[in-house]
Amino acid sequence: MSRKDVVAGPRNEEGIATVIGLLKQRFGERFQTGQSFREQHAHTTTYIPAQLPDGVVFVENSDDVQAVVRLCAAHKVPMIAFGVGSSLEGQVNAASGGISIDCSRMDKVLEVNAEDLDCTVQPGVTREALNTYLRDTGLFFPIDPGANASLGGMAATRASGTNAVRYGTMKDNVLALTVVTANGEEIRTAHRARKSSAGYDLTRLFVGSEGTLGIITSITLKLQGIPESIGGGICTFADVKSACDAVIMTIQMGIPVARIELLDAMQVRACNAYSNLSLPEKPTLFLEFHGSEQTVALQTQQFAEIASEFGADGMRFTSDPQERNQIWKARHNAYWAGRALAPHLNGLSTDVCVPISRLADCVEATQADIAETGILAPIVGHVGDGNFHLLILFDDKDEADVEKVEAFMARLTERALAMDGTCTGEHGVGQGKMSYMQAELGGALELMRQVKRGLDPDNLFNPGKIFRM
Amino acid sequence: MSRKDVVAGPRNEEGIATVIGLLKQRFGERFQTGQSFREQHAHTTTYIPAQLPDGVVFVENSDDVQAVVRLCAAHKVPMIAFGVGSSLEGQVNAASGGISIDCSRMDKVLEVNAEDLDCTVQPGVTREALNTYLRDTGLFFPIDPGANASLGGMAATRASGTNAVRYGTMKDNVLALTVVTANGEEIRTAHRARKSSAGYDLTRLFVGSEGTLGIITSITLKLQGIPESIGGGICTFADVKSACDAVIMTIQMGIPVARIELLDAMQVRACNAYSNLSLPEKPTLFLEFHGSEQTVALQTQQFAEIASEFGADGMRFTSDPQERNQIWKARHNAYWAGRALAPHLNGLSTDVCVPISRLADCVEATQADIAETGILAPIVGHVGDGNFHLLILFDDKDEADVEKVEAFMARLTERALAMDGTCTGEHGVGQGKMSYMQAELGGALELMRQVKRGLDPDNLFNPGKIFRM
């Protein structure tokens, strides 16, 4: 966290006033400038103070998006794409004011090609809505960042989550995008073929660009067959190091776990209280295996052997859907469980990611730092990727507390970078991680600016995010 | 193919003369301007006429590359990165003259992190050299485009090959790159963490950029554990459609085949003659399965059931390494076997890729077109990806033959695009596919130009490739 990056950028008052008038004319009730709409569109699940847009336009199709982009471009007014507002690093803040482009009404599944295991959706479709839609096809979309995020937002932030260890992140699961670019035209980054070497990888350039290069108007996604069999379970370890070592060996052995999630003792305590469970309050792994009955049984057995080697106890594996759902519901509610540890405090959810061999070191050193700093910060992690999260509980009205947390965050990032890791495995940069980018990327940051200048020369798409121009 | 794109670009004679003098001073014997060196560095396994560079510099480390880039940039002289010269679409031609940067002496494996299943290599390391180096670690690098290409070249062209159906392409297997950019500085695109959402995906921007955005100086690659067990086999089908339908169902069922390769009857005939085999001269699939003994047996059985449904016969599965090697050696020599069908003719190797549901249609229509056009063109394909190759045999001295082939190629591309496919699944654009890019990408092509202008404003990195500026 570094609130110093949450500063107001320059505002083009005249352009904004003009565009507000023109959008009212064109969109009528679908354009709103009321305070509550504006507040809602700068609201994110975050510690970052809100910066309101000047108006919110509810787009319904690509023509709408093109019209908005053309108007804003003509008058040099910033545009901020909005999905459901579940981003964590201030991605939807309007640092220089401007227009929030709310894509939630672009919520149609445009096409499902079951034979090709792909589908094309509008950006406002949420991942839960997509999976509900797909229910009868035998297919599912695996990426699960926890929140019921919009797929446009997930593409824009390169989201991942619990299933990424097996199915990859959004970068691995987006086949193509249509995007409205700075001149208001819609382009298509690629076709539906599974691979292509026809020029630059524009698809992956837009995935993770956080709305700074254009507005996504459709997303073509890979789908997976629903596994014939799903197994799952939990096991506990004496310490975080043993749990991480078991994870490391599991990955190194090539066991294709679908999910392998670490909760530290404090997080287990929080989940017990919040979700009415009675798990031993020790470092715990939640697991899931996907495959045929045989392969799930095989993977479970292979994992159990590894876990035993590292002193696991309380191993409990089940293919009972109800029992499994209870576990994963608790995992998904980990954020709220953590918040409930200290309801009077603010919550700052952050993540780092390191090469898997350094995972145990990084988590242990971070736990020691938490203890020394004297903060409350349960840890959960998609540890199969070397990725873990902290929910730091603090009082954002208390300057001393804020400073303490900022210093802790800086040390956390430094630690991850020293281990050849990254300041964010999946939350993105937004405003919250901007100050770490120079240390992480050095001269590569200037290349990102060159790309930005090339595609958005007037800096109108979500300005003041990822880096300063 | 469209030879009209193999035109000479503008030459900066003064700059070239100056740089030649300066490179001689700095590199001595490591800089060569003799005809044979120049010819060798414009030579590719291709039908495309050579365009020689003005000199060849043999770089040995990143400092060398930086020095060359700074000199060339100062005098506005084109630079063309060179690996082993196995590219197929004229990627190493010097359309505007300039300096070939030969990376073959940058052949060190810099680091293997067995625990993290990754390694970092210099760009001149070939894939076979890397796998030899890794032999004792229990790990391997799976991407196999056939030729013993350099890993720098493979990254630059987004190579894939027979294993891509299981392990992905270079885009999925490069974790990070160091690259010398237009100002002569070396940047690092990412760290070793398995995932990151820290800004634009520069790694994948450079993968597939064919040397047009910078010179790759190191590549961090994902590695895989050598499978405990490898099974393989072949089976034949009455027609191409049945073979493709078996492939489609295999993919749709989620059977994790490691390789699934189609050879049409003409290609089988060519392989029989060239590799001394006696396979039935019918459409044939070559397969490989990776896993534990149990999973390989399971996959083999599942596939056999599918193949039977589509009338396969002559199924022969084996885990005997020798028998397997014989099959795959024949597959790897398919190009030379095809050439031997008509040794007096030239060979044009091309590829397209379509969504898998359209594979059978595309291959069948292409076979009909081959017959109608009256050309000799065996087909092999990485059909699990919807990707197939043709080796078109023709006489490049015969204008009528060239025209016939050009028209055929245009139809092939149109057909693939009409099926939501791409004009190249893995060979890249170079000069040979440049004329199809507008039809495939429309407005997205202009975005690629914007990226190029942003990163290489003087158009010095491999000019005249992928698109014209």
Side-chain angles (χ1 to χ4, degrees):
Chain A
M1 156 164 98
S2 48
R3 298 214 179 181
K4 67 175 181 295
D5 287 316
V6 190
V7 292
R11 283 176 58 86
N12 168 11
E13 297 295 355
E14 201 187 317
I16 290 170
T18 307
V19 161
I20 285 177
L22 294 167
L23 288 173
K24 270 187 186 152
Q25 272 176 35
R26 176 143 188 343
F27 288 95
E29 286 297 298
R30 289 202 282 130
F31 179 64
Q32 296 287 341
T33 54
Q35 182 75 5
S36 65
F37 279 101
R38 294 167 55 215
E39 277 177 4
Q40 189 212 342
H41 285 78
H43 169 80
T44 55
T45 324
T46 176
Y47 59 95
I48 292 180
Q51 296 172 316
L52 311 196
D54 293 285
V56 180
V57 59
F58 291 86
V59 290
E60 293 181 350
N61 51 50
S62 171
D63 285 348
D64 284 351
V65 177
Q66 291 180 53
V68 174
V69 170
R70 287 201 171 106
L71 280 178
C72 287
H75 299 280
K76 306 230 185 303
V77 168
M79 295 159 273
I80 304 103
F82 186 92
V84 306
S86 56
S87 63
L88 291 163
E89 296 292 356
Q91 275 95 344
V92 298
N93 261 348
S96 293
I99 305 302
S100 176
I101 303 180
D102 184 310
C103 299
S104 60
R105 298 187 192 173
M106 289 182 73
D107 61 354
K108 285 179 208 58
V109 177
L110 299 173
E111 174 177 297
V112 175
N113 300 292
E115 285 186 300
D116 293 316
L117 306 172
D118 71 43
C119 70
T120 300
V121 301
Q122 288 186 319
V125 175
T126 67
R127 62 170 189 88
E128 286 179 9
L130 176 59
N131 279 325
T132 303
Y133 187 96
L134 293 172
R135 208 167 26 192
D136 300 326
T137 62
L139 301 172
F140 79 115
F141 178 69
I143 312 300
D144 173 6
N148 186 21
S150 70
L151 290 158
M154 286 171 64
T157 53
R158 201 181 297 127
S160 49
T162 55
N163 278 317
V165 62
R166 172 146 180 164
Y167 298 102
T169 75
M170 286 302 278
K171 106 176 137 49
D172 307 297
N173 287 281
V174 177
L175 282 171
L177 297 164
T178 55
V179 179
V180 175
T181 61
N183 63 5
E185 275 172 35
E186 186 179 66
I187 61 108
R188 190 177 178 189
T189 60
H191 292 253
R192 287 200 301 115
R194 279 285 152 143
K195 65 186 195 189
S196 172
S197 52
Y200 303 160
D201 192 342
L202 295 179
T203 307
R204 265 144 289 271
L205 182 60
F206 280 100
V207 170
S209 64
E210 303 190 12
T212 64
L213 299 175
I215 308 290
I216 294 170
T217 48
S218 79
I219 308 133
T220 300
L221 295 163
K222 285 191 203 172
L223 301 174
Q224 301 287 333
I226 293 175
E228 182 192 319
S229 175
I230 300 179
I234 60 168
C235 59
T236 61
F237 294 83
D239 46 49
V240 157
K241 181 164 171 41
S242 307
C244 289
D245 284 339
V247 174
I248 294 171
M249 179 154 294
T250 304
I251 298 303
Q252 284 169 356
M253 297 273 294
I255 301 171
V257 278
R259 290 168 157 165
I260 187 161
E261 297 278 311
L262 173 73
L263 292 79
D264 76 352
M266 193 189 294
Q267 183 66 59
V268 175
R269 177 155 65 83
C271 288
N272 277 343
Y274 188 86
S275 296
N276 254 323
L277 299 172
S278 52
L279 302 173
E281 293 180 0
K282 291 170 37 175
T284 302
L285 293 178
F286 286 11
L287 292 121
E288 196 164 279
F289 304 102
H290 293 177
S292 65
E293 259 181 59
Q294 291 130 299
T295 55
V296 165
L298 191 68
Q299 291 170 38
T300 306
Q301 181 204 326
Q302 287 173 320
F303 172 78
E305 280 165 21
I306 292 170
S308 297
E309 260 185 62
F310 292 97
D313 53 27
M315 275 195 261
R316 218 169 67 207
F317 295 103
T318 174
S319 55
D320 175 57
Q322 221 169 341
E323 212 175 323
R324 243 183 28 240
N325 283 344
Q326 196 191 21
I327 293 173
W328 289 109
K329 199 168 166 202
R331 169 64 189 87
H332 273 137
N333 285 329
Y335 174 84
W336 301 110
R339 290 295 297 270
L341 283 174
H344 56 293
L345 295 180
N346 295 78
L348 182 169
S349 174
T350 192
D351 83 308
V352 294
C353 187
V354 294
I356 190 135
S357 67
R358 307 308 305 275
L359 177 66
D361 294 346
C362 197
V363 173
E364 276 203 314
T366 302
Q367 284 194 315
D369 194 353
I370 290 169
E372 241 171 78
T373 312
I375 51 176
L376 209 56
I379 291 177
V380 295
H382 314 313
V383 280
D385 302 316
N387 182 207
F388 65 93
H389 301 260
L390 289 90
L391 177 64
I392 304 171
L393 300 165
F394 74 113
D395 179 358
D396 74 346
K397 305 279 177 295
D398 177 344
E399 265 314 305
D401 215 21
V402 169
E403 264 175 45
K404 195 160 70 173
V405 169
E406 293 211 350
F408 172 83
M409 286 280 295
R411 289 194 301 276
L412 173 67
T413 301
E414 242 170 73
R415 188 177 303 126
L417 293 184
M419 293 178 177
D420 222 348
T422 173
C423 72
T424 175
E426 56 180 36
H427 292 179
V429 180
Q431 298 172 313
K433 292 282 170 91
M434 200 149 54
S435 60
Y436 310 130
M437 291 289 276
Q438 185 62 43
E440 175 158 346
L441 289 162
L445 196 55
E446 184 50 30
L447 250 74
M448 293 188 189
R449 288 198 185 95
Q450 290 170 354
V451 171
K452 170 78 171 172
R453 270 182 224 119
L455 269 63
D456 180 24
D458 292 325
N459 191 21
L460 300 179
F461 287 125
N462 209 5
K465 310 297 164 65
I466 305 183
F467 41 70
R468 265 183 236 303
M469 291 304 292
Chain B
M1 159 165 95
S2 48
R3 297 212 180 182
K4 66 175 182 292
D5 287 316
V6 190
V7 292
R11 283 178 58 87
N12 168 11
E13 297 296 353
E14 201 186 318
I16 290 170
T18 308
V19 160
I20 285 178
L22 294 168
L23 288 173
K24 272 187 184 151
Q25 274 176 34
R26 172 135 185 357
F27 289 95
E29 287 298 297
R30 289 203 282 129
F31 179 64
Q32 296 287 340
T33 54
Q35 183 74 7
S36 66
F37 280 101
R38 293 169 55 215
E39 277 177 3
Q40 190 212 339
H41 285 78
H43 168 80
T44 55
T45 323
T46 177
Y47 60 96
I48 292 181
Q51 295 173 315
L52 310 195
D54 293 286
V56 180
V57 59
F58 292 86
V59 290
E60 293 181 349
N61 51 50
S62 172
D63 285 348
D64 285 351
V65 176
Q66 291 180 53
V68 174
V69 171
R70 288 202 169 104
L71 280 178
C72 287
H75 300 280
K76 306 232 185 303
V77 168
M79 294 159 273
I80 305 102
F82 186 92
V84 305
S86 55
S87 63
L88 291 163
E89 298 291 357
Q91 276 94 346
V92 299
N93 261 350
S96 293
I99 305 302
S100 175
I101 303 180
D102 183 311
C103 299
S104 61
R105 297 187 192 173
M106 290 182 72
D107 61 354
K108 283 177 209 59
V109 177
L110 299 172
E111 174 177 298
V112 176
N113 300 292
E115 285 185 302
D116 294 316
L117 305 172
D118 72 45
C119 70
T120 300
V121 302
Q122 289 185 320
V125 175
T126 66
R127 64 172 186 85
E128 287 180 7
L130 175 59
N131 279 324
T132 302
Y133 187 97
L134 292 172
R135 209 164 28 190
D136 301 327
T137 62
L139 301 172
F140 79 116
F141 178 68
I143 312 300
D144 173 5
N148 186 22
S150 70
L151 290 158
M154 286 172 64
T157 54
R158 201 180 299 126
S160 50
T162 55
N163 279 318
V165 61
R166 171 145 181 167
Y167 298 103
T169 76
M170 287 302 277
K171 105 177 137 50
D172 308 296
N173 287 281
V174 176
L175 282 172
L177 297 164
T178 56
V179 179
V180 175
T181 61
N183 63 5
E185 275 172 34
E186 186 179 65
I187 60 106
R188 189 178 178 189
T189 59
H191 291 254
R192 287 200 302 114
R194 279 285 153 144
K195 65 186 194 189
S196 172
S197 51
Y200 302 160
D201 192 341
L202 295 179
T203 306
R204 266 144 289 273
L205 182 60
F206 281 100
V207 170
S209 64
E210 303 190 13
T212 64
L213 299 176
I215 309 291
I216 294 171
T217 48
S218 79
I219 309 133
T220 300
L221 295 163
K222 285 191 203 173
L223 300 174
Q224 301 287 334
I226 293 175
E228 181 192 319
S229 177
I230 300 179
I234 60 168
C235 59
T236 60
F237 294 84
D239 47 48
V240 157
K241 182 166 170 40
S242 307
C244 288
D245 284 339
V247 174
I248 293 171
M249 180 156 292
T250 304
I251 299 302
Q252 285 169 357
M253 298 272 295
I255 301 171
V257 279
R259 290 168 156 164
I260 187 162
E261 297 278 310
L262 173 73
L263 292 77
D264 76 352
M266 191 188 297
Q267 183 66 58
V268 175
R269 177 156 65 83
C271 288
N272 277 344
Y274 188 85
S275 295
N276 255 322
L277 299 172
S278 53
L279 303 172
E281 294 180 0
K282 292 170 38 175
T284 302
L285 293 177
F286 285 12
L287 291 122
E288 197 165 277
F289 304 102
H290 293 178
S292 65
E293 261 181 56
Q294 291 132 296
T295 55
V296 166
L298 191 68
Q299 290 170 38
T300 307
Q301 182 205 325
Q302 287 173 320
F303 173 77
E305 280 165 21
I306 293 170
S308 295
E309 261 186 62
F310 292 97
D313 53 27
M315 274 194 261
R316 218 170 67 207
F317 294 103
T318 174
S319 55
D320 176 56
Q322 222 168 338
E323 213 176 321
R324 241 181 31 236
N325 283 344
Q326 197 192 16
I327 293 173
W328 291 107
K329 201 169 165 201
R331 168 63 190 88
H332 273 138
N333 285 329
Y335 174 84
W336 302 110
R339 290 295 298 268
L341 284 174
H344 57 293
L345 295 179
N346 295 78
L348 182 170
S349 174
T350 192
D351 84 307
V352 294
C353 187
V354 295
I356 189 132
S357 67
R358 307 307 305 275
L359 178 65
D361 294 345
C362 197
V363 173
E364 275 203 314
T366 302
Q367 283 193 315
D369 194 354
I370 290 169
E372 243 171 76
T373 312
I375 52 176
L376 210 57
I379 291 177
V380 296
H382 314 314
V383 281
D385 302 316
N387 183 207
F388 65 94
H389 301 260
L390 290 89
L391 177 64
I392 304 171
L393 300 165
F394 75 112
D395 179 359
D396 74 345
K397 304 282 178 292
D398 176 346
E399 266 314 305
D401 215 21
V402 169
E403 264 176 44
K404 195 160 70 173
V405 169
E406 293 210 349
F408 171 83
M409 286 280 295
R411 290 193 301 278
L412 173 68
T413 301
E414 242 171 70
R415 190 177 300 127
L417 294 184
M419 293 178 178
D420 222 347
T422 174
C423 72
T424 176
E426 56 180 36
H427 292 177
V429 180
Q431 298 172 312
K433 293 282 171 91
M434 199 149 54
S435 59
Y436 310 130
M437 290 289 276
Q438 185 62 43
E440 175 158 346
L441 288 162
L445 196 55
E446 183 50 32
L447 249 75
M448 292 188 190
R449 288 198 186 94
Q450 290 169 355
V451 171
K452 170 80 170 171
R453 270 181 224 118
L455 268 63
D456 180 24
D458 292 325
N459 191 21
L460 299 178
F461 287 124
N462 210 5
K465 310 298 164 65
I466 304 183
F467 41 71
R468 267 182 234 303
M469 290 304 294

